[in-house]
């Protein structure tokens, strides 16, 4: 590759250093590096990259602005499409989205769109570039948003920008959804999230924490006080494997493991009150982003950390960067390996995981090969901690108590594809609560579309 | 922020607090609980409703000092503020006219029995309360249950016989059953071992029995699975599916194992806290 075909590398902290703390891993571009990377962009007339981005950011425009050193302008471009670029720049699966279709990818490395996005947002934050957003003429109509994850906040921001009176109701004591309780700080620092959320504050969005709709406040009450409602309750309910020994001590759902560590800061126990058990060897079952986060967190808690995965690493649904970072840090990938049982000692503590080897068959309809368990390969391996990271489903607290809102069998809220309205008049929904566990940017895209639908509905 | 409007040390181990939480007060029902987080570094701890005053917008809880968080909460005084009070959590107890109901409270389970017994009495039931404590000095809520809840019978037991009947609550229940008393429902709240014994007693007699489980909770919104318990062979979340369940379906062995999961850490936290506070608040 000629130099122009190669990406400008993003400085990162060394694996040896970073496994000892929860600080962020990639350091981000300097202005010079960002400009140099941005100059590689071909400014393609058809710009396929835009189509690769679920919220259709005008990528060539903001990249050109970076190339010209116009960081303020680049920020404005980004914010037109995406109210939390510091977050998406860090967590989007870029290699499957904007960067996958980048024309530069045909001859060399695609433009590092994610890291450029992150650069602009970070630069703006660190240099106080941001201006108070302009709000269109204020309107009377009130909109309630249920859930403060990426989908809820995106919808809230867009409605508030258009002058609507917006209130967010959030079940937990902190806003941000998965961004806060799930994704660890070494990938997405809390101060970055908090700063992005300040934007909502500036827009006059009201935040009500500790409000669990369907539990301590009813949908009906929200309806009485608001003209429309957007439900973005996510897919936060853990799935379990349903096999023997799952109730042993030392066996966690990924949600519990990560919530203890991230939201409740168990890694700072006993300075913070919430505990997590000591761990020497952790087996994480699954290989998606959630599993990578759990496995890398386990390393930082001082444990030996294994990913137990039925397929091979190339089929991992996690972002490439996460798999890469996990490997560098020393997470061991035990692939073609299917856990079947947890075994415990007489006090009810996990002692061993019973495993089977697998073989991959030809790819099925979804393009992924299905694993077959090889029956005579049963063996056990010692683990004192297991984390189940096989997916999440929508939390029933909302939908079981939301009269008129119908859901699919697995709990996904049913919406009209065109209007984004649920089966209940004036109640809209989107994000993981509708799609099942997906991605930050898709949840945000839903939030934008829903905001448009709500505005049409309220006209 | 939620101001503490009243605080009373009831005995060496138990403290009653009244807290401003108008939204919770408006909605919370017997059998439901709240979650508090005292400050930024605090954990989320569940406490059950004892009393409420809708007009004043206050709720009351009684807690027992067991570990760091409850010891620390005991240092909060009238006028101090608690960062988060979330609730109501969990499902409310079903209140209707069953006939004769025996409500059993073990130790700090007794305050939960109070609103329950009161509501059951108001719904037309004959209500018998059996309340057990280790020793005389720990007995609480006696006048409330007798006079405010107007129950038909109140039996107090102490393990050492220093007050009321000597023995366990289960002994009184056995006697009631032996006396051919027609019992339509038993509701027990207390240590898991007590609830298990009660369940074992009522099962052969086919007496419907409910228990309120105290599994370890984290978010208490149904998103972590920390509180999972096996009920009727299925996995249930105590925070949202309960905390009340059919006693005869609960796997108590599992519950008793799981609630010790953080024991080592809890001891460490309490030791450290006591050191820092010079043992002044024993
Ligand atoms: C550990 C982990 C790592 C991930 N990593 C990535 C990644 O690298 N890249 C990526 O793109 N995606 C990632 N994802 C997926 C991504 O985070 C989600 O798809 C996205 O957050 C969904 O957004 P949302 O707004 O729909 O829901 P959520 O983020 O789940 O937010 C929902 C919010 O609603 C609240 N809520 C729920 N019920 C109620 C109720 N009844 N009343 C009030 N509030 C309620 C919840 O407390 C929560 O705050 C990851 C997910 C996890 C769990
Ligand atoms: C639904 C429910 C209602 C409750 N109501 C009351 C009440 O009205 N009064 C009262 O005194 N206690 C009540 N408890 C128990 C109370 O929550 C615990 O005593 C408290 O969390 C202990 O915190 P700690 O730091 O002082 O003790 P720790 O040292 O942390 O723990 C001591 C013991 O308390 C239990 N415990 C610890 N953490 C939790 C947790 N997060 N959730 C549940 N149990 C835990 C464990 O069994 C543990 O061994 C209730 C528990 C539940 C689940
Ligand atoms: S939001 Fe995500 S997909 Fe869109 S340009 Fe940014 S990194 Fe790419
Ligand atoms: S496809 Fe790639 S090279 Fe072309 S405009 Fe988009 S980012 Fe630039
Ligand atoms: S406490 Fe988390 S699911 Fe019940």
């Amino acid at each position: 590759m000629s130099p122009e075909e190669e990406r400008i590398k993003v400085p990162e902290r060394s694996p040896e250093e970073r496994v000892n703390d929860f600080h962020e891993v990639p350091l981000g571009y300097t202005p010079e590096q960002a400009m140099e990377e941005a100059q590689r962009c071909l400014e393609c007339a058809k710009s396929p990259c835009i189509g690769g981005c679920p919220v259709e950011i005008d990528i060539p425009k903001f990249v050109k602005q970076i190339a010209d050193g116009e960081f303020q302008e680049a920020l404005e471009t980004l914010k037109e499409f995406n109210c939390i670029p510091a977050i998406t720049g860090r967590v989007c699966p870029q290699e499957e989205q904007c960067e996958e279709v980048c024309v530069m990818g045909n001859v060399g490395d695609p433009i590092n769109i994610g890291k450029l996005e992150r650069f602009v947002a970070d630069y703006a934050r660190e240099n106080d570039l941001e201006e108070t957003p302009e709000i269109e003429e204020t309107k009377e109509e009130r909109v309630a948003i249920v859930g403060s994850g990426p989908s809820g906040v995106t919808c809230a921001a867009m409605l508030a920008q258009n002058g609507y009176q917006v209130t967010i109701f959030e079940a937990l004591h902190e806003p941000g959804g998965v961004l806060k309780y799930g994704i660890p700080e070494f990938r997405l620092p809390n101060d970055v999230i908090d700063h992005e959320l300040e934007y909502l504050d500036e827009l006059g969005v009201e935040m009500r924490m500790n409000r669990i709709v369907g539990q301590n406040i009813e949908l009906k009450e929200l309806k009485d006080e608001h003209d429309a409602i957007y439900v973005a309750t996510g897919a936060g309910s853990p799935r379990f494997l349903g096999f023997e020994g799952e109730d042993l001590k030392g066996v966690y759902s990924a949600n519990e493991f990560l919530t203890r560590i991230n939201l409740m800061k168990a890694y700072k126990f006993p300075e913070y009150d919430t505990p997590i058990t000591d761990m020497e060897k952790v087996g994480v079952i699954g290989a998606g982003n959630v599993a990578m986060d759990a496995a890398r967190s386990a390393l930082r808690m001082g444990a030996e950390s294994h990913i137990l995965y039925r397929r091979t690493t190339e089929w991992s649904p996690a972002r490439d960067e996460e798999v890469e970072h996990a490997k560098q840090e020393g997470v061991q990938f035990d692939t073609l390996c299917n856990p079947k049982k947890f075994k415990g000692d007489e006090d009810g503590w996990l002692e061993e995981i019973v495993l089977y080897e697998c073989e991959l068959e030809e790819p099925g309809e979804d393009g992924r090969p299905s694993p077959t368990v090889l029956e005579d390969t049963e063996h056990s391996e010692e683990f004192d901690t297991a984390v189940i990271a096989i997916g999440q489903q929508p939390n029933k607290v909302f939908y079981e108590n939301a009269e008129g809102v119908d859901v699919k069998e697995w709990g996904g809220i049913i919406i009209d594809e065109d209007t984004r309205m649920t089966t209940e008049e004036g109640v809209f929904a989107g994000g993981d609560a509708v799609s099942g566990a997906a991605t930050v940017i898709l949840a945000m895209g839903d939030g934008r579309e829903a905001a448009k639908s709500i505005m049409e509905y309220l006209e | 922020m939620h101001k503490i409007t009243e605080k009373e040390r009831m005995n060496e181990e138990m403290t009653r607090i009244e807290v401003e939480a108008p939204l919770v007060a408006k909605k919370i029902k017997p059998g439901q609980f709240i979650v508090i987080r005292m400050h930024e570094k605090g954990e989320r701890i569940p406490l059950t409703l004892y009393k409420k005053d809708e007009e004043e917008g206050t709720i009351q809880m009684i807690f027992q000092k067991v570990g760091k968080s409850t010891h620390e909460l005991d240092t909060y005084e009238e006028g101090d503020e608690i960062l988060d009070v979330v609730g109501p959590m969990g499902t409310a107890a079903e209140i209707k006219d069953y006939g004769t109901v025996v409500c059993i409270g073990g130790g700090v389970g007794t305050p939960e029995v109070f609103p329950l017994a009161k509501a059951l009495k108001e719904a037309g039931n004959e209500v018998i309360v059996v309340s057990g404590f280790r020793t005389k000095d720990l007995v609480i809520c006696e006048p409330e249950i007798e006079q405010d809840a107007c129950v038909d019978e109140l039996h107090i037991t102490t393990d050492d016989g220093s007050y009321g009947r000597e023995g366990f609550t289960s002994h009184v229940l056995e006697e009631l059953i032996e006396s051919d008393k027609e019992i339509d429902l038993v509701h027990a709240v207390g240590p898991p071992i007590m609830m298990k014994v009660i369940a074992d007693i009522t099962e052969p007699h086919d007496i419907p029995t409910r228990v309120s489980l105290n599994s370890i909770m984290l978010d208490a919104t149904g998103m972590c699975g920390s509180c999972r318990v096996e009920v009727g062979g299925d996995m249930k979340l105590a925070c949202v599916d309960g905390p009340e369940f059919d006693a005869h379906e609960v796997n108590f062995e599992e519950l008793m194992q799981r609630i010790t999961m953080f024991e080592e850490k809890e001891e460490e936290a309490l030791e450290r806290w006591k050191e820092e506070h010079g043992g002044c608040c024993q």
Side-chain angles (χ1 to χ4, degrees):
Chain A
M1 272 194 264
S2 72
E4 307 83 66
E5 288 158 4
E6 247 177 90
R7 276 189 174 184
I8 305 297
K9 285 212 171 48
V10 184
E12 281 178 1
R13 296 167 65 220
S14 77
E16 299 74 35
E17 179 194 335
R18 68 198 197 220
V19 289
N20 297 312
D21 60 45
F22 278 77
H23 299 308
E24 202 172 6
V25 169
L27 298 168
Y29 282 138
T30 62
E32 296 70 33
Q33 288 167 330
M35 285 165 73
E36 209 180 318
E37 174 66 13
Q39 277 151 10
R40 295 173 56 232
C41 172
L42 306 170
E43 295 171 51
C44 316
K46 285 202 179 124
S47 23
C49 49
I50 300 181
C53 169
V55 294
E56 302 187 330
I57 294 181
D58 191 339
I59 296 169
K61 184 171 170 193
F62 96 81
V63 173
K64 173 88 171 61
Q65 285 163 331
I66 297 178
D68 295 344
E70 296 169 350
F71 303 146
Q72 170 81 49
E73 289 74 9
L75 180 73
E76 280 158 23
T77 307
L78 279 172
K79 288 252 163 160
E80 232 178 275
F81 302 88
N82 175 348
C83 66
I84 48 177
I87 294 170
T88 48
R90 285 172 163 85
V91 303
C92 257
Q94 290 95 4
E95 67 272 15
E96 296 168 11
Q97 297 179 350
C98 52
E99 295 175 16
E100 178 172 43
V101 289
C102 170
V103 174
M104 262 309 280
N106 300 337
V107 287
D109 293 333
I111 305 300
N112 199 340
I113 301 169
K115 288 294 188 299
L116 287 176
E117 190 169 306
R118 170 186 160 169
F119 162 76
V120 175
D122 287 358
Y123 184 87
R125 185 175 67 254
E126 283 152 17
N127 297 281
D128 282 325
L129 285 193
E130 275 145 289
E131 285 162 22
T132 315
E134 273 174 48
I135 298 175
E136 308 276 308
E137 159 202 6
T138 39
K139 302 188 175 64
E140 298 257 295
E141 285 90 347
R142 300 175 51 83
V143 182
I145 311 274
V146 187
S148 66
S151 200
V153 302
T154 305
C155 184
M158 189 157 172
L159 290 168
Q161 270 162 353
N162 283 281
Y164 292 93
Q165 310 301 309
V166 184
T167 310
I168 298 184
F169 295 82
E170 165 59 47
L172 293 170
H173 56 260
E174 290 220 20
V178 169
L179 306 178
K180 267 278 174 60
Y181 75 73
I183 302 179
E185 291 219 52
F186 54 81
R187 217 149 60 80
L188 182 58
N190 280 350
D191 53 6
V192 171
I193 305 170
D194 288 337
H195 183 269
E196 299 288 81
L197 293 176
E198 265 169 36
Y199 183 70
L200 292 179
D201 204 40
E202 286 166 22
L203 286 168
V205 173
E206 213 187 306
M207 290 269 197
R208 304 239 179 105
M209 297 297 118
N210 297 318
R211 296 302 164 75
I212 311 158
V213 180
Q215 175 69 42
N216 61 18
I217 178 165
E218 298 308 316
L219 179 65
K220 205 158 78 27
E221 291 171 69
L222 291 189
K223 287 200 77 181
D224 289 346
E225 287 168 17
H226 299 86
D227 302 290
I229 294 169
Y230 180 57
V231 179
T233 45
S237 192
R239 262 200 215 121
F240 285 89
L241 296 152
F243 59 60
E244 207 181 306
E246 208 157 27
D247 56 352
L248 289 167
K249 291 181 282 183
V251 179
Y252 292 91
S253 75
N255 267 7
E256 180 183 357
F257 191 78
L258 290 169
T259 301
R260 283 186 182 277
I261 294 176
N262 296 326
L263 183 70
M264 304 310 294
K265 301 211 168 27
Y267 70 92
K268 293 188 183 164
F269 178 89
E271 181 196 343
Y272 282 74
D273 290 341
T274 306
I276 191 152
T277 46
D278 289 333
M279 51 195 95
E280 269 177 27
K281 189 171 166 192
V282 181
V284 178
I285 300 168
N289 285 316
V290 184
M292 296 306 143
D293 284 343
R296 296 175 68 200
S297 297
L299 281 180
R300 286 162 172 78
M301 297 302 296
E304 177 183 325
S305 176
H306 293 247
I307 290 277
L308 308 176
Y309 185 41
R310 298 182 299 166
R311 297 189 172 88
T312 48
T313 317
E314 58 174 316
W315 299 105
S316 151
R319 298 175 70 223
D320 289 354
E321 188 180 9
E322 307 321 322
V323 176
E324 201 46 48
H325 281 158
K327 284 186 173 164
Q328 289 169 1
E329 291 167 5
V331 172
Q332 298 181 38
F333 284 73
D334 303 349
T335 52
L336 295 173
C337 160
N338 194 40
K340 275 277 166 102
K341 207 196 281 186
F342 297 118
K343 279 201 200 156
D345 64 15
E346 65 266 30
D347 295 324
W349 283 99
L350 174 70
E351 221 171 26
E352 283 180 349
I353 304 182
V354 177
L355 304 161
Y356 285 77
E357 284 170 24
C358 296
E359 215 173 51
L360 288 188
E361 290 179 348
E362 286 302 297
E365 264 171 43
D366 60 354
R368 285 179 5 134
S370 50
T372 348
V373 174
L374 302 173
E375 287 306 332
D376 53 358
T377 58
E378 178 181 328
H379 60 287
S380 330
E381 197 174 324
E382 272 181 38
F383 286 95
D384 60 12
T385 305
V387 180
I388 302 165
I390 56 162
Q392 287 95 235
Q393 57 211 17
N395 188 327
K396 65 181 182 180
V397 171
F398 172 78
Y399 66 74
E400 280 191 351
N401 299 295
E403 214 177 305
V405 177
D406 293 343
V407 295
K408 296 180 183 149
E409 216 174 306
W410 53 272
I413 298 175
I414 296 169
I415 58 166
D416 179 306
E417 291 298 330
D418 296 324
T419 64
R420 306 211 161 231
M421 208 192 284
T422 66
T423 47
E424 176 71 8
E425 170 81 19
V427 179
F428 300 75
D432 281 6
V434 168
S435 60
T439 61
V440 170
I441 192 68
L442 287 173
M444 292 174 60
D446 278 5
R448 278 177 69 85
E449 291 307 314
K452 287 184 204 156
S453 297
I454 289 170
M455 289 191 278
E456 258 170 51
Y457 172 77
L458 292 178
E459 292 249 303
Chain B
M1 285 294 207
H2 301 261
K3 196 191 267 161
I4 298 180
T5 45
E6 251 180 64
K7 175 188 170 184
E8 177 198 1
R9 286 223 171 99
M10 309 187 78
N11 55 47
E12 250 173 51
E13 292 181 10
M14 294 174 215
T15 301
R16 177 179 64 89
I17 48 168
E18 183 187 72
V19 181
E20 266 174 10
L23 293 172
V24 182
K26 210 159 86 189
K27 293 194 174 162
I28 194 162
K29 297 206 173 73
Q32 287 188 300
F33 63 97
I34 57 155
V35 165
I36 66 163
R37 193 172 64 117
M38 280 180 277
H39 47 72
E40 275 305 324
K41 295 180 178 177
E43 61 181 333
R44 296 169 65 100
I45 61 170
L47 295 174
T48 311
L49 175 74
Y50 169 50
K51 284 184 182 174
K52 68 165 182 173
D53 185 332
E54 255 187 84
E55 257 163 52
E56 293 290 322
T58 56
I59 50 173
Q60 295 188 24
M61 285 73 61
I62 293 178
F63 64 89
Q64 182 174 21
K65 282 189 284 172
V66 290
K68 193 248 168 182
S69 297
T70 43
H71 274 80
E72 187 177 2
L73 183 58
D74 193 46
T75 64
Y76 278 46
E77 300 296 342
E78 238 169 76
D80 287 349
E81 291 189 325
I82 292 175
L83 181 56
D84 294 309
V85 174
V86 200
M89 304 296 227
T91 54
E94 204 187 343
I95 303 294
K96 60 176 193 194
D97 190 356
Y98 295 91
T100 299
V101 184
V102 179
C103 296
I104 304 175
V108 78
T110 298
E112 180 174 339
V113 162
F114 166 72
L116 210 65
K118 189 168 182 214
L120 285 165
K121 185 68 206 164
E122 282 162 6
N125 293 281
E126 178 189 3
V127 179
I128 300 170
V129 174
V130 186
S131 187
F133 301 91
R134 282 207 317 280
T135 184
K136 180 176 182 218
D137 294 341
L138 299 179
V139 175
I140 52 167
C141 302
E142 189 179 5
E144 283 79 8
I145 293 176
E146 231 161 20
Q147 286 142 37
D148 299 356
C150 300
V151 300
D152 298 274
E153 285 175 39
L154 169 64
H155 303 267
I156 292 191
T157 65
T158 48
D159 298 3
D160 61 2
S162 53
Y163 190 72
R165 283 271 319 270
E166 177 173 346
F168 298 131
T169 52
S170 50
H171 296 148
V172 177
L173 178 66
E174 273 170 334
E175 280 173 25
L176 285 169
I177 293 173
E178 275 160 25
S179 72
D180 283 337
K181 177 97 201 161
E182 190 70 38
I183 299 172
D184 300 291
L185 177 72
V186 169
H187 191 117
V189 197
I193 184 67
M194 180 199 93
M195 296 192 281
K196 179 182 174 357
V197 170
I198 303 280
D200 289 344
I201 293 173
T202 57
E203 192 162 19
H205 298 279
D206 283 332
I207 303 172
T209 303
R210 303 195 300 219
V211 284
S212 189
L213 302 186
N214 55 343
S215 34
I216 294 199
M217 295 184 183
L218 178 60
D219 59 302
T221 70
M223 69 90 153
C224 79
S226 171
C227 64
R228 63 191 185 272
V229 286
E230 193 188 311
V231 181
D234 293 327
M235 195 196 77
K236 297 280 177 196
L237 299 178
C239 66
V240 293
D241 298 322
E244 211 179 279
F245 293 103
D246 178 346
H248 301 143
E249 301 277 316
V250 173
N251 181 343
F252 283 102
E253 278 76 21
E254 180 206 39
L255 176 70
M256 287 188 275
Q257 289 276 10
R258 282 189 61 80
I259 57 172
T260 63
M261 178 150 159
F262 298 97
E263 226 163 39
E264 224 176 273
K265 294 277 143 189
E266 289 156 357
E267 276 166 26
E268 184 187 329
L270 182 59
E271 281 312 306
R272 198 182 102 124
W273 186 85
K274 280 187 173 166
E275 257 165 46
E276 279 172 7
H277 289 76
C280 66
C281 314
Q282 299 300 298

